[in-house]
Amino acid sequence: MSVAVEIEKLTKSFHVRAKHKTVALNEVDLKIQQGEMVALIGPSGSGKSTLLRHVGGLVQADKTSGPIQVLGETVQCRGKLNSNIRRQRAQIGFIFQQFNLIGRLTVLRNVLLGRLGRTPRWRGSLGLFTHQERAMAVTALQRVGLAELALQRASTLSGGQQQRVAIARALTQQARLLLADEPIASLDPEAARRVMETLKDIHERDKRTVIVTLHQVEYALKYCQRAIALNNGRIVFDGPASELTPATLNNLYGVSHLERVEEAGSGKIGSLQPSAA
Amino acid sequence: MAENALSAALPQDQSALKKTMNLFLWGLILAVLAWSWEGAEMRPMALWADSSNMGIFAADFFPPNFRDWRLYLEETIVTFQIAIWGTLLAIVFAIPLGILSSENVVPWWIYQPVRRLMDAARAINEMVFAMLFVVAVGLGPFAGVLALFVHTTGVLAKLFSEAVEAIEPGPVEGVRATGASALQEVIYGIIPQVLPLWISYSLYRFESNVRSASVVGMVGAGGIGVILWESIRGFMFPETCAVMIIIIATVTCTDILSQRIRKKFI
């Protein structure tokens, strides 16, 4: 099995004020094989979203960082994006917490935008998509169960539906690696379940590598084999998701955190951010 | 007692210094108003003193003389045509220039020079540009088109870029993540978000360009303004009145028309 993502010594710091910086990621090393479904967990501010955005080539790391390789090609190294970054982004599907669809365009057109990285630029810019590409977009919409809404404006859909449109966009993109950044944080439990089922289906049927950041451990346990936990910009746990017992979480995030989880209660194994979502 | 409790609950931010500053500010505003009164030689009493003259003058305008209405109508249509092309060219140029003066799209060494250029285009009034273009391309409506075009480009580029700077960054990132080019990020990520505002601004500028086109003729740049100027200079007040009525009707029609279009798009 070949490597999907390989990260070496990834460091990222943000300058909050002059001469005052916070380190979001601190020399993170990570390797993910093709065909894995991995959960990145951690409380907000732990660096999980930042990590994912680096892999997608949406932010640049510090100059001291090593290379980030995706599917055998370097996305960025020492804080410099590969000059071919647009072609690489086409290989990487990115699902955002706020869906990031174009509200005024139709659902179908939003899904077709997934082809932009793979069609000649002039054709993509003029919006002249081929019959085959349209068929591909409709198929993707059928798969997420939204084909009948294809001609509606994206802004008229519910949050869960919009997120599934975003997944259809990534499908149409034929992305080999799917990065989902808090895909269910803004959704109600039923919509969240459908989105996670869709991601799992893509992972299982299409054998795609999926990396998903979550702050609710129960979803990681249910849908992912492997879990990586971050805290303060470092990896503090990397192993089978089933090992994420309340005791382990307690060790990772401290007693105070567990207390907060128990306050949120209702028998859940643990939400790292009970107040969020 | 209740009042005391209330004033204690409210934060005491009106310090003495702040009050003095407020007073000073009001004083300054009044001083500027008084100073401008002098400079502008304001004489409201003149309206009163010369009211009988003005009555006679106003009476000269009536009844309006529509004898040459065919000519007026023809020139009004030309005025309209000047406004259409002046605005259209401005919109076409303001789209790229507006994007190039948005600080969330391009680096400072692009948006700063482009903005300054647009400032210059905006700073000079259409009438001044009209005079210059009459010299450059000769008398006639084309000079008027160019004058409106340059000035309106400056205005629209600024308004367009303000809309671009207020967009949601999320959708742009969504497009970027698909591997789209920079131009495609603009086409799909930015333009759909700003389109309603852009249409609204463009229609408003079209309305004001119809008004402006009716005066650029005064300096020889074509349209109804030529006739207006000739009749004022010739003390032909009934004719002047007729032309003014036609201009008012045209502007009103444009307003109603653009209102309709705006509703359709937004």
Side-chain angles (χ1 to χ4, degrees):
Chain A
M1 216 187 267
S2 52
V3 180
V5 177
E6 188 166 9
I7 298 169
E8 278 174 47
K9 286 178 72 174
L10 171 60
T11 300
K12 174 70 176 178
S13 43
F14 292 102
H15 290 267
V16 185
R17 281 165 271 138
K19 290 179 185 172
H20 181 94
K21 62 179 184 181
T22 52
V23 179
L25 292 169
N26 200 343
E27 302 207 342
V28 172
D29 294 307
L30 184 60
K31 205 180 220 180
I32 289 167
Q33 303 293 334
Q34 278 193 29
E36 281 193 273
M37 181 148 176
V38 181
L40 275 179
I41 62 164
S44 70
S46 60
K48 57 190 191 307
S49 289
T50 312
L51 177 60
L52 211 62
R53 291 167 60 77
H54 277 88
V55 177
L58 295 174
V59 270
Q60 284 148 278
D62 287 0
K63 286 198 173 65
T64 55
S65 298
I68 297 178
Q69 302 213 1
V70 172
L71 305 162
E73 280 185 271
T74 309
V75 170
Q76 55 176 299
C77 188
R78 294 179 212 284
K80 271 195 76 175
L81 291 174
N82 186 328
S83 55
N84 241 336
I85 187 68
R86 293 180 196 280
R87 215 192 61 215
Q88 279 180 313
R89 284 191 192 128
Q91 307 253 4
I92 306 170
F94 210 106
I95 315 288
F96 299 86
Q97 181 181 348
Q98 295 303 331
F99 331 125
N100 289 1
L101 301 178
I102 319 299
R104 287 178 62 83
L105 299 184
T106 63
V107 167
L108 183 65
R109 188 133 288 254
N110 268 288
V111 175
L112 278 167
L113 293 187
R115 298 306 300 167
L116 286 179
R118 294 186 188 269
T119 45
R121 284 200 181 166
W122 67 271
R123 203 151 60 72
S125 301
L126 294 176
L128 302 172
F129 296 103
T130 62
H131 186 74
Q132 198 191 355
E133 285 168 330
R134 280 167 198 280
M136 197 185 257
V138 172
T139 312
L141 276 173
Q142 278 168 343
R143 182 149 175 202
V144 299
L146 292 171
E148 71 278 12
L149 302 180
L151 298 178
Q152 280 195 28
R153 269 192 190 184
S155 58
T156 61
L157 271 57
S158 72
Q161 289 173 329
Q162 289 197 35
Q163 194 58 294
R164 275 146 61 207
V165 172
I167 294 174
R169 178 168 71 184
L171 279 173
T172 312
Q173 193 179 329
Q174 294 180 306
R176 291 167 64 199
L177 168 68
L178 220 57
L179 306 176
D181 183 14
E182 297 279 4
I184 55 171
S186 315
L187 304 180
D188 64 75
E190 175 53 25
R193 191 191 59 77
R194 281 201 76 164
V195 164
M196 288 308 293
E197 292 288 346
T198 312
L199 287 176
K200 195 179 179 212
D201 181 64
I202 293 167
H203 163 66
E204 283 175 354
R205 277 208 283 157
D206 304 8
K207 305 280 179 275
R208 302 271 192 249
T209 315
V210 178
I211 309 175
V212 50
T213 65
L214 298 164
H215 64 255
Q216 286 167 302
V217 179
E218 51 179 323
Y219 285 102
L221 282 172
K222 195 171 171 194
Y223 293 101
C224 303
Q225 298 102 34
R226 180 178 169 193
I228 297 165
L230 280 98
N231 199 13
N232 292 325
R234 288 179 191 276
I235 293 178
V236 290
F237 173 89
D238 185 355
S242 54
E243 283 179 18
L244 283 175
T245 57
T248 321
L249 287 170
N250 186 13
N251 277 339
L252 295 178
Y253 296 111
V255 179
S256 62
H257 212 98
L258 199 70
E259 279 171 358
R260 273 189 24 225
V261 172
E262 277 171 357
E263 271 169 36
S266 71
K268 286 179 185 174
I269 298 165
S271 160
L272 293 174
Q273 284 168 284
S275 55
Chain B
M1 276 302 279
E3 263 173 41
N4 269 347
L6 191 68
S7 63
L10 291 169
Q12 301 284 316
D13 61 345
Q14 287 279 5
S15 65
L17 181 73
K18 219 168 181 178
K19 276 182 181 162
T20 327
M21 279 298 289
N22 262 340
L23 216 62
F24 177 72
L25 211 67
W26 279 110
L28 196 71
I29 290 169
L30 287 176
V32 169
L33 286 175
W35 175 67
S36 308
W37 184 278
E38 285 297 310
E41 295 180 20
M42 298 281 280
R43 288 178 293 116
M45 290 312 286
L47 289 173
W48 197 251
D50 304 332
S51 59
S52 55
N53 284 347
M54 283 172 62
I56 295 165
F57 181 57
D60 283 347
F61 279 72
F62 293 96
N65 181 354
F66 280 101
R67 200 186 53 223
D68 290 330
W69 67 273
R70 272 174 209 284
L71 176 67
Y72 301 161
L73 200 67
E74 266 168 36
E75 288 301 316
T76 305
I77 290 168
V78 171
T79 304
F80 215 72
Q81 289 163 330
I82 294 171
I84 286 175
W85 273 101
T87 313
L88 182 73
L89 288 175
I91 293 170
V92 169
F93 279 76
I95 290 170
L97 289 166
I99 288 166
L100 291 178
S101 41
S102 306
E103 62 184 24
N104 55 345
V105 182
V106 293
W108 67 269
W109 47 268
I110 294 180
Y111 73 71
Q112 281 296 355
V114 176
R115 275 185 192 176
R116 297 295 82 81
L117 188 70
M118 292 301 100
D119 284 350
R122 206 166 51 242
I124 315 287
N125 189 279
E126 298 94 324
M127 286 293 273
V128 180
F129 275 127
M131 284 188 248
L132 297 176
F133 280 119
V134 163
V135 177
V137 301
L139 289 168
F142 186 52
V145 170
L146 292 176
L148 292 185
F149 157 51
V150 175
H151 181 78
T152 309
T153 301
V155 176
L156 282 182
K158 182 186 168 71
L159 293 173
F160 283 7
S161 82
E162 276 172 7
V164 171
E165 285 174 357
I167 59 161
E168 295 279 335
V172 183
E173 203 164 49
V175 175
R176 182 176 305 152
T178 65
S181 70
L183 179 65
Q184 289 168 342
E185 285 176 25
V186 172
I187 294 174
Y188 294 108
I190 296 176
I191 292 188
Q193 289 195 60
V194 295
L195 203 60
L197 265 180
W198 281 12
I199 289 172
S200 187
Y201 290 148
S202 301
L203 285 170
Y204 172 70
R205 280 313 301 187
F206 176 65
E207 288 167 37
S208 52
N209 275 349
V210 172
R211 292 193 288 273
S212 302
S214 67
V215 292
V216 289
M218 291 187 176
V219 294
I224 191 82
V226 184
I227 296 170
L228 187 65
W229 184 230
E230 291 302 322
S231 47
I232 293 173
R233 275 205 309 192
F235 299 107
M236 301 186 293
F237 296 126
E239 285 79 4
T240 309
C241 183
V243 172
M244 278 163 63
I245 288 170
I246 286 177
I247 291 175
I248 292 168
T250 311
V251 170
T252 309
C253 288
T254 320
D255 269 35
I256 294 167
L257 187 75
S258 70
Q259 201 80 48
R260 288 266 168 87
I261 299 174
R262 190 176 292 136
K263 276 204 182 115
K264 198 158 195 164
F265 274 101
I266 295 161

